[in-house]
Amino acid sequence: MRTVFIRHLCTPGNEKRQYIGRTDEDVSERAAEEFRQCQSKCTGGLYPPVQYIIASPLKRCIQTAELIYPGLEIVTEPMLRECDFGEYERKTYEELKNEPEYIRWMESGGMTAFPRGEDQTSFRRRCVNGVKRWIDRLLENGADSAAFVVHGGTIMAALSELAGDRHGFYHWQVENGGGYVAEVSEDEWGNSRKVLRKVKRM
């Protein structure tokens, strides 16, 4: 099964380089228009065609999925939401760089819990379990292709755990609208070797 991971298009907060986690922003008008212009110039389509779409329930992911795959049903999965940045929501690096808690968070490699937010271990486990759950379902339904339209953090969490070529979390960082294509072997996955093979950046 071909599995596509797509990060949502830019939001206003992304354009300002804010931490946007639980905040439920729309895709920005500029990003949507740029996508439409690129799509109109691309005869083969910007993204691989798929049978199924699974998206984070936040608006930016649903709107991105609607733009990329118009007319296809979108199923949402709460486990694929972005991390809750707590008190860092809608803040920028410049606003936070001198705060002691933020400095400790940076020095930990982003692994300590956000103040009043979600800790990385729980976040990453949640995302991985959400992806596994849906790949199980898709294979049971005989799917040959699916797209996960989600968040940058969700993609990094899933691939750092499931990709056959093992790399750390930040290796899998991707720009808004970017993503990866991977292959899932039904036999291998069904035998509890839950691995994404041939992972390639789009």
Side-chain angles (χ1 to χ4, degrees), residues 35-192:
F35 171 82
R36 293 186 189 101
Q37 290 178 8
C38 289
Q39 184 81 315
S40 68
K41 296 173 184 175
C42 183
T43 54
L46 294 172
Y47 298 88
V50 296
Q51 282 182 301
Y52 297 92
I53 303 170
I54 301 92
S56 159
L58 297 185
K59 290 186 292 186
R60 55 193 182 269
C61 295
I62 295 170
Q63 291 167 359
T64 298
E66 289 171 342
L67 284 166
I68 295 173
Y69 298 112
L72 282 185
E73 180 184 3
I74 299 166
V75 180
T76 59
E77 172 52 67
M79 294 175 75
L80 303 178
R81 298 183 325 275
E82 181 59 286
C83 189
D84 182 346
F85 293 116
E87 292 178 7
Y88 296 165
E89 283 281 335
R90 306 194 70 88
K91 300 284 184 66
T92 66
Y93 168 77
E94 288 299 319
E95 291 172 311
L96 294 167
K97 64 182 181 182
N98 295 318
E99 293 191 9
E101 279 188 287
Y102 184 72
I103 293 169
R104 283 194 292 273
W105 177 75
M106 292 287 284
E107 289 175 345
S108 77
M111 287 303 295
T112 59
F114 301 107
R116 300 181 184 276
E118 187 174 12
D119 73 88
Q120 277 293 302
T121 301
S122 298
F123 162 66
R124 296 182 191 187
R125 186 185 305 116
R126 162 169 69 75
C127 293
V128 170
N129 288 341
V131 169
K132 285 181 176 179
R133 173 184 177 186
W134 273 101
I135 291 178
D136 285 341
R137 288 185 180 182
L138 291 161
L139 290 173
E140 286 173 7
N141 290 337
D144 62 31
S145 58
F148 290 89
V149 184
V150 291
H151 308 273
T154 308
I155 293 172
M156 291 189 284
L159 294 184
S160 62
E161 177 68 23
L162 299 174
D165 295 328
R166 301 308 294 265
H167 295 283
F169 182 78
Y170 291 102
H171 171 85
W172 302 105
Q173 197 164 10
V174 69
E175 72 280 0
N176 291 99
Y180 294 90
V181 179
E183 295 290 332
V184 175
S185 163
E186 184 173 2
D187 290 340
E188 186 175 43
W189 192 274
N191 288 325
S192 298

